[in-house]
Amino acid sequence: MVFGAVAFAVLAAGGVRGSAAETSAAYFAAWRAGNVEAMAALVHEPPADFRPRHLSMSAELGVKSVELRPGAVKVTGEETAEVPFSGSRMLETFGAWPFDGTLRLAVRNRHWKVLWAPETLHPLLKDGGTVEIVDVEGPPVELLTREGHKIPNNGYVESLLARLRPELDGDSAGWALVAKAPGRPEQRIMTVEPKPDVQRTTLSSSVQAAAARSLDGAEDSAIVVLRPATGEVLALADRLKDNYSAFHDFFPPGSTFKIITAAALMKAGLEPAAQVPCPATYSFPDRRAFTNDGGVDRGLVSFTDAFAYSCNTTFVEQALTRLRREDLRETAAEWGFGRPMPTGAQGACGAIEDPADADWFGSNAIGQGSVVVSPLCMAMIAAAVQDGTLRSPRLLSDEQVRRVDGEPPPPVELDQGVVANLRAMMRAVVEHGTASGAGLPDGVSGKTGTAEVEGERSHGWFVGYRDDLAFCVFVRHGGSGRAAAVPIVTRFLNGL
């Protein structure tokens, strides 16, 4: 200390202005105030990036305030000194970040100046070091049922959930304050761990379990279950092969499309009680012949019974003689074809082209030709019959669907007279039509469908509803709707 006193006396006698204590105190005061210009004025030959370094560090790390606690000035030579100090930066993300440092000073041009180096700002910046905030990836979002239960891994819904998760991941990101320097391993200083991201879907634990069990032993099949009053997807069990999806892929619907054709015919004036021919074979003049399944001739029947028995010849004849070629497409559009289906995991409904000739028109009328549809769409159509309103299906809350997939189409109230007639016609299918005597429980209304596929076995369909559940079962290359799809619905409803 005697040496120090002598040294400072010598400096004072030599005309050196100020002292190490005065300069360091001024520097710390300017630093606390964030006055970078005043700090630079106290530094000997500050580098060109002095100001940007300080400002960018504060901005990039979210520094809200700096606390500094200088120690005593230590004399280290005749014209040098240093001040150890401790400090803390308050970061928006991490809170208080304490650090220790040393402020070095020396006489330059007869003034006490700060000898600044990057480590003056923080010791970790020495030798080219950097400090930055990096994202910490959280675990994949955990999707739960509407009740908050885990979705079983064997529920045949994994492919859809895998598509849904990336849209929701990211909400649970964490952050880390990381120091990096050439030749040194990366050092994690502080961490905000990501919170577990849990999202509830609309899937019902009990309905999903019953749907999954109903497909046991039924490969290349799918069942979609909706709540008609809300459009919520209560269950999806999808065992379709070759990467096909019940939500996103189209297939010919066969006679399930007669729901749409019947709606178009009733709009054109055909009453459910009207007597219509159901011959074994029908052909428009000079055109191909259409036949009923098994070549059955039922003679004159009511239009309701033609629907219940799925008379191809009736629907072809009535469509060709009563409808314009665009009527089927326009009616299908009223029932959801061509609409976006923002479920939260996206979705697609169906498509139909206006026919070029009578053969094509007749095929469209019975769900062949250019008509294609997703199982999700057919479930939506069944739900619309039950409720009288067409609602877009969804797997997530309305808010989440809008965030992930965009604004859904608004609900559409359908022609209530047509809807009431379709309900009676779909009841007739189960009571005495193509789905009768198949073991379905009481209260089911529906429509079977068998869609021909050139060179391969037909697809089997059954769509319908019971109470507040609407469903579609699709069995790819499974054969007839009655043989392949109806038993799945029976197992599903009995298993609830």
Side-chain angles (χ1 to χ4, degrees), residues 53-140:
R53 267 182 178 269
H54 284 74
L55 297 180
S56 64
M57 183 176 187
S58 294
E60 292 169 7
L61 301 186
V63 179
K64 299 168 64 177
S65 62
V66 178
E67 180 184 344
L68 299 167
R69 295 177 294 276
V73 176
K74 294 183 179 180
V75 176
T76 57
E78 289 188 1
E79 296 186 341
T80 60
E82 64 182 30
V83 181
F85 67 93
S86 61
S88 178
R89 289 180 172 90
M90 183 60 67
L91 307 184
E92 291 181 1
T93 301
F94 302 96
W97 175 29
F99 67 103
D100 295 314
T102 300
L103 188 71
R104 292 180 170 81
L105 303 102
V107 174
R108 296 290 186 268
N109 299 322
R110 302 176 66 186
H111 289 79
W112 278 99
K113 291 285 188 177
V114 172
L115 301 182
W116 190 88
E119 57 264 33
T120 308
L121 190 57
H122 195 285
L124 291 171
L125 302 183
K126 187 176 182 179
D127 299 328
T130 60
V131 178
E132 59 188 84
I133 296 176
V134 299
D135 291 337
V136 175
E137 186 175 347

Side-chain angles (χ1 to χ4, degrees), residues 254-255 258 277-282 288 290-294 296 306-307 309-319 362 365-368 447 450 452:
S255 291
K258 287 173 182 170
C278 177
T281 302
Y282 172 81
R288 61 162 282 195
F290 291 88
T291 61
N292 289 329
D293 184 36
V296 176
F307 183 91
Y309 298 133
S310 205
C311 292
N312 289 336
T313 55
T314 302
F315 275 77
V316 171
E317 179 183 12
Q318 297 302 314
I366 57 175
Q368 300 283 168
K447 182 70 187 80
T450 304
E452 296 178 359

Side-chain angles (χ1 to χ4, degrees), residues 153-424:
N153 292 330
N154 60 348
Y156 308 131
V157 71
E158 291 81 8
S159 61
L160 187 69
L161 298 183
R163 185 171 185 142
L164 183 60
R165 282 191 184 95
E167 301 293 342
L168 298 174
D169 280 344
D171 292 345
S172 63
W175 300 273
L177 188 65
V178 174
K180 301 178 182 179
R184 296 204 303 262
E186 182 177 296
Q187 177 185 354
R188 183 175 290 192
I189 306 166
M190 303 174 75
T191 304
V192 174
E193 294 291 346
K195 296 179 181 178
D197 191 357
V198 176
Q199 297 279 349
R200 293 197 185 198
T201 67
T202 61
L203 297 175
S204 160
S205 298
S206 59
V207 180
Q208 178 64 34
R213 288 193 300 268
S214 73
L215 295 191
D216 288 347
E219 295 185 353
D220 217 358
S221 60
I223 177 171
V224 182
V225 185
L226 306 181
R227 173 165 287 155
T230 62
E232 294 167 293
V233 180
L234 298 182
L236 167 70
D238 189 340
R239 299 192 67 189
L240 295 176
K241 294 181 177 180
D242 303 324
N243 292 319
Y244 281 113
S245 164
F247 266 44
H248 306 104
D249 292 307
F250 292 163
F251 310 91
S255 291
T256 59
F257 187 74
K258 287 173 182 170
I259 296 172
I260 304 301
T261 307
L265 288 169
M266 286 187 283
K267 284 174 57 182
L270 183 58
E271 295 292 332
Q275 296 295 296
V276 290
C278 177
T281 302
Y282 172 81
S283 62
F284 207 61
D286 301 321
R287 293 293 179 177
R288 61 162 282 195
F290 291 88
T291 61
N292 289 329
D293 184 36
V296 176
D297 184 341
R298 295 189 180 275
L300 278 177
V301 296
S302 69
F303 181 43
T304 293
D305 281 349
F307 183 91
Y309 298 133
S310 205
C311 292
N312 289 336
T313 55
T314 302
F315 275 77
V316 171
E317 179 183 12
Q318 297 302 314
L320 287 171
T321 56
R322 291 176 179 268
L323 300 178
R324 302 170 302 162
R325 291 187 176 182
E326 62 267 27
D327 284 343
L328 281 180
R329 173 179 52 79
E330 291 177 358
T331 303
E334 293 173 9
W335 286 76
F337 274 51
R339 281 172 39 129
M341 300 186 80
T343 62
Q346 303 179 338
C349 188
I352 178 174
E353 299 176 15
D354 288 341
D357 54 40
D359 288 348
W360 187 350
F361 196 4
S363 294
N364 281 357
I366 57 175
Q368 300 283 168
S370 69
V371 185
V372 287
V373 68
S374 68
L376 172 66
C377 186
M378 289 309 305
M380 179 183 71
I381 290 171
V385 174
Q386 191 272 358
D387 187 68
T389 300
L390 185 73
R391 289 185 171 85
S392 185
R394 60 180 175 86
L395 265 167
L396 301 171
S397 68
D398 288 325
E399 180 182 354
Q400 283 283 54
V401 167
R402 289 187 182 92
R403 185 180 71 82
V404 172
D405 275 354
E407 189 71 27
V412 176
E413 186 174 354
L414 301 166
D415 185 312
Q416 296 304 297
V418 169
V419 167
N421 290 336
L422 286 171
R423 290 173 187 149

